[in-house]
Amino acid sequence: MVGRKGKRDRRRGSEAAAILGMNPYMSNVELWEYKTGRRQRENKDSAYMEYGCEAEKPLIELFGLDYPRYKTIMPEAYRLQRNEEYPYILGTVDAELLEEETKRIGFLEVKTTNILASGQKEQWNERIPQNYYVQCLHYLLVNPEYEYFYLKAQLKNVWKGQGDKDNEVRLTTKHYYFERKEVEEDLKVLKEKEIEFWQEYVKKDKRPNLVLPPI
């Protein structure tokens, strides 16, 4: 789905984390309310979201320069993909990857994050924040042909000076790589939860119990 100004609707991938109670911006009950028409979505474009949308393409191109063994393929018009067996498991990736030597395909997910507190940066130490990890697992469910994925994260700190011209922007770039075979157990759990959410709660119009995020 292409939203305002031709931008991709990014909600579909992040919904998977909401089902598990790992989306900090939406609970599983709120997602159920959206899916059953009890709640309407509000399109709110923040400056951070605008920045992320505009930065996505050059960051994908930079990935291709840094990792030349992969061919980066930008999906035409943010092609929406669906799992053939479970059509409600759907989403769009930022870019597909083709490993030139082996011809294996995977995908690239790009995240831009404004670091406003030290705790935010710690979430990225040697790991991906859980909501983004689940989002990437969801895309592996969408397309079983994907054998691996990369997540490219740009962490941005803006150090405020006395005036706008005195501000200093500091960027840290991180790359995370996962093979499908390494995450099969997590994929199995997520698949079960997504099917349950749709079949038992959305289709039956039954409110799920609230799933609280882990502490």
Side-chain angles (χ1 to χ4, degrees):
M1 177 178 178
V2 178
R4 290 182 295 171
K5 301 180 183 178
K7 296 189 177 79
R8 174 165 60 94
D9 185 339
R10 299 168 179 273
R11 293 189 295 249
R12 301 183 190 276
S14 62
E15 288 175 354
I19 291 173
L20 300 182
M22 294 180 178
N23 185 331
Y25 309 107
M26 182 195 306
S27 72
N28 65 313
V29 173
E30 289 172 328
L31 175 61
W32 175 80
E33 291 175 344
Y34 289 130
K35 293 297 185 181
T36 57
R38 289 174 168 80
R39 181 191 293 251
Q40 298 300 314
R41 296 185 188 268
E42 297 180 12
N43 290 316
K44 294 182 179 180
D45 289 341
S46 67
Y48 293 146
M49 293 174 62
E50 291 287 340
Y51 176 87
C53 290
E54 295 298 327
E56 184 176 286
K57 184 177 180 180
L59 287 175
I60 291 172
E61 293 172 345
L62 182 59
F63 178 91
L65 293 175
D66 290 333
Y67 292 84
R69 66 180 180 274
Y70 297 102
K71 178 181 180 181
T72 56
I73 305 167
M74 298 285 288
E76 182 178 355
Y78 292 117
R79 177 170 56 93
L80 179 64
Q81 300 184 69
R82 295 177 184 269
N83 182 286
E84 291 185 0
E85 186 175 359
Y86 307 100
Y88 47 85
I89 298 179
L90 69 169
T92 58
V93 298
D94 291 337
E96 292 183 332
L97 299 175
L98 174 65
E99 192 172 29
E100 297 278 17
E101 182 176 348
T102 65
K103 304 305 179 185
R104 298 194 314 150
I105 64 169
F107 69 88
L108 171 67
E109 179 69 15
V110 173
K111 296 297 182 185
T112 56
T113 300
N114 285 275
I115 302 299
L116 304 177
S118 59
Q120 287 180 286
K121 192 170 184 178
E122 291 176 1
Q123 292 179 3
W124 292 93
N125 288 341
E126 308 303 327
R127 66 186 187 277
I128 301 175
Q130 285 296 302
N131 56 316
Y132 297 146
Y133 174 66
V134 173
Q135 181 178 353
C136 291
L137 292 183
H138 173 80
Y139 295 142
L140 291 179
L141 292 178
V142 169
N143 188 341
E145 294 185 358
Y146 290 148
E147 297 185 57
Y148 58 90
F149 70 86
Y150 275 90
L151 187 144
K152 180 184 183 74
Q154 177 187 276
L155 312 182
K156 180 179 177 182
N157 291 81
V158 179
W159 295 78
K160 297 291 186 179
Q162 293 182 350
D164 290 340
K165 293 183 179 180
D166 298 325
N167 290 348
E168 179 183 353
V169 177
R170 299 181 184 179
L171 301 175
T172 301
T173 302
K174 291 179 174 284
H175 296 93
Y176 306 84
Y177 175 78
F178 290 85
E179 287 275 349
R180 173 184 283 272
K181 61 186 178 183
E182 298 172 342
V183 298
E184 287 290 355
E185 289 300 315
D186 290 342
L187 275 176
K188 181 180 178 180
V189 172
L190 178 61
K191 181 179 179 180
E192 291 174 352
K193 292 297 184 181
E194 291 204 37
I195 293 173
E196 177 188 39
F197 181 81
W198 184 265
Q199 297 287 356
E200 297 299 320
Y201 300 110
V202 176
K203 290 190 69 175
K204 294 182 179 180
D205 200 36
K206 176 183 175 183
R207 181 180 293 270
N209 294 326
L210 176 65
V211 179
L212 296 176
I215 298 175

